[in-house]
Amino acid sequence: MRYMHKIFHEKRQSEVQEIHRQRFNFDSTIHLGLYIKPMDQSSVYELYYVPTNEMVRMASDIHIISNQFQEAFNDLPPVAQNQFINECLVEELYNTNEIEGIRSTREEIARSTKEVMLNKKSKQRFESMIKSYIRLLDNDLEFPKIPKDLRQIYDDITKGEIEQQELPDGDIFRREATYILKKSGSGKIVHQGIMPEKEIIYATGQLLKFMNDNEEIPDIIKIAIGHYYFGYIHPFYDGNGRTSRFISSMYLSSILGNISTLSLSRGCNKYKNKYLEAFEVTNSIKSRGELNSFIETFMRIILETLQQMNAELKEKSELLNMAVHKLNSEPQLEHKDGNYWGIMYVLAQNHFFDSRNGLTIKDLAGISNKSQATIRKLIRELLEMSLIEQKGERPAYFFIRQQYFEE
């Protein structure tokens, strides 16, 4: 179906209005009870979408690829599973920051994530956001029910990362106006968030009612709609995108599983121009409240990102299987007991699923359920065989020699 915002450029105004009237009144059209008012004009439009075969196809494909992804993940050994989750988590956090222009590196986020997971008391940058995503992975969150719940999520996601003058100054949300600029960097204002705060509270209440009570709209489509409408309301001065993507991830986790949930920010950043443009055209009078373009863009981003992540996981799994064959034929391990092979297998999982760091004696002891003294003896001999290498001291990190699996 040709989107309204494209028809807007192709037809006379009277024809555009007639096409919108007809489309809005199709028997198949879904009216959402949510309203927008595009900038610089007086008309208010009810949001709607027309179900299409493309939506049905993508929804089916998303569930299929998500199930395949989960099955491939379940087949991994435990160490690889943990490290793959950590890698996906770091990517998600890095990408949600990247979209917002927040300076961070994958290495910085990985370090902070590891410290938080170890429950160290030292204050880490992004600590509150990391804890929120860990709770998401642990199914330790409830869907927001009232506007104040959205504020709590915002506080947890953005703590320590918002300038003082950009923090909410109303009872729950912002008190003053906020503006969204054109993605090209021209400085042109393309959207103004809802005003005043009482209207923000009302609109977020309507959004939560729609998300939690509407059982007629397919979940994946409902999540896309909710993601758009949160962005339209723009309840905060800063941090709206991070908060919205986290909330959408909460809802996605209930239908796709936790690992697939960690695809949203990665995809939104990779397809950043399409993602931001989808908001811009849907906010404008060109679309007249039609959500087909946004819904299909959102679904396509999730689908393509899941396909890419599934391909990455399959490749790593295949490499790990090849590594097992390599280790089984390693002559230096032939007459050693299984503990040596076990350490090499753990380090192989680390090699393919977390190439940034090796593992410490303490890490290996915990994974292998053996004493640190036993691990030190095994590591010392594997070093003497030149099968592994060491990096750093106190703590020392151990990893399989870089070229080992290529020989």
Side-chain angles (χ1 to χ4, degrees), residues 303-319:
L303 176 59
E304 293 185 8
T305 307
L306 279 174
Q307 288 171 336
Q308 293 158 11
M309 291 173 69
N310 193 41
E312 291 172 14
L313 180 55
K314 281 185 175 181
E315 180 181 3
K316 290 184 176 186
S317 297
E318 184 173 349
L319 289 170

Side-chain angles (χ1 to χ4, degrees), residues 196-214:
E197 188 189 16
K198 66 178 182 180
E199 293 298 325
I200 299 175
I201 293 172
Y202 175 78
T204 52
Q206 291 297 105
L207 170 59
L208 291 174
K209 183 178 179 182
F210 169 78
M211 293 299 295
N212 296 327
D213 297 343
N214 190 311

Side-chain angles (χ1 to χ4, degrees), residues 31-285:
H31 303 106
L32 302 174
L34 303 172
Y35 297 85
I36 66 168
K37 182 179 178 296
M39 277 187 61
D40 300 328
Q41 51 81 54
S42 59
S43 298
V44 174
Y45 294 97
E46 182 179 2
L47 293 175
Y48 73 93
Y49 75 95
V50 180
T52 64
N53 289 334
E54 179 68 2
M55 288 183 193
V56 173
R57 182 193 67 79
M58 283 197 291
S60 175
D61 288 348
I62 286 170
H63 284 284
I64 290 170
I65 195 70
S66 179
N67 288 337
Q68 291 175 349
F69 188 46
Q70 188 65 50
E71 288 173 4
F73 175 81
N74 290 341
D75 287 339
L76 294 175
V79 174
Q81 283 186 348
N82 290 335
Q83 292 180 331
F84 187 73
I85 289 174
N86 290 346
E87 181 184 23
C88 289
L89 178 58
V90 168
E91 279 296 312
E92 189 71 359
L93 296 171
Y94 171 78
N95 281 286
T96 200
N97 285 341
E98 189 80 357
I99 297 170
E100 303 299 313
I102 301 168
R103 295 183 62 184
S104 62
T105 65
R106 289 179 174 85
E107 288 72 21
E108 176 186 17
I109 294 171
R111 284 196 302 271
S112 294
T113 301
K114 186 172 183 179
E115 295 293 312
V116 170
M117 285 182 166
L118 291 172
N119 296 316
K120 292 199 174 179
K121 295 181 180 180
S122 58
K123 294 296 182 182
Q124 300 295 321
R125 191 181 178 199
F126 310 120
E127 179 177 342
S128 188
M129 179 169 67
I130 291 167
K131 285 181 177 178
S132 293
Y133 272 92
I134 291 173
R135 289 183 66 196
L136 174 63
L137 289 170
D138 290 341
N139 294 312
D140 187 29
L141 292 170
E142 293 184 0
F143 293 146
K145 295 180 177 63
I146 59 175
K148 284 185 178 180
D149 295 339
L150 297 178
R151 174 59 188 273
Q152 184 60 58
I153 292 170
Y154 167 86
D155 289 342
D156 291 340
I157 289 295
T158 65
K159 185 178 180 180
E161 297 300 321
I162 303 291
E163 298 291 337
Q164 184 66 34
Q165 65 272 19
E166 297 295 324
L167 289 171
D169 51 3
D171 292 333
I172 303 176
F173 303 113
R174 58 178 166 79
R175 184 179 299 163
E176 305 296 335
T178 188
Y179 302 95
I180 295 90
L181 305 181
K182 193 171 181 65
K183 63 181 177 62
S184 63
S186 64
K188 179 183 176 182
I189 296 173
V190 295
H191 180 60
Q192 176 181 334
I194 287 179
M195 280 284 292
E197 188 189 16
K198 66 178 182 180
E199 293 298 325
I200 299 175
I201 293 172
Y202 175 78
T204 52
Q206 291 297 105
L207 170 59
L208 291 174
K209 183 178 179 182
F210 169 78
M211 293 299 295
N212 296 327
D213 297 343
N214 190 311
E215 297 180 355
E216 296 179 358
I217 297 174
D219 287 329
I220 189 71
I221 293 176
K222 188 164 63 174
I223 293 166
I225 294 167
H227 192 77
Y228 164 73
Y229 202 56
F230 187 98
Y232 170 78
I233 298 169
H234 229 70
F236 306 105
Y237 294 115
D238 190 16
N240 292 282
R242 280 166 282 174
T243 306
S244 181
R245 285 186 293 277
F246 182 80
I247 293 168
S248 295
S249 293
M250 290 174 64
Y251 284 97
L252 282 170
S253 69
S254 68
I255 61 171
L256 300 182
N258 296 342
I259 310 302
S260 294
T261 290
L262 297 177
S263 63
L264 181 56
S265 293
R266 183 193 294 210
C268 290
N269 191 33
K270 180 167 184 177
Y271 301 104
K272 184 176 180 178
N273 289 341
K274 291 180 180 178
Y275 174 64
L276 297 178
E277 182 183 21
F279 279 106
E280 187 177 320
V281 299
T282 308
N283 287 338
S284 75
I285 194 174

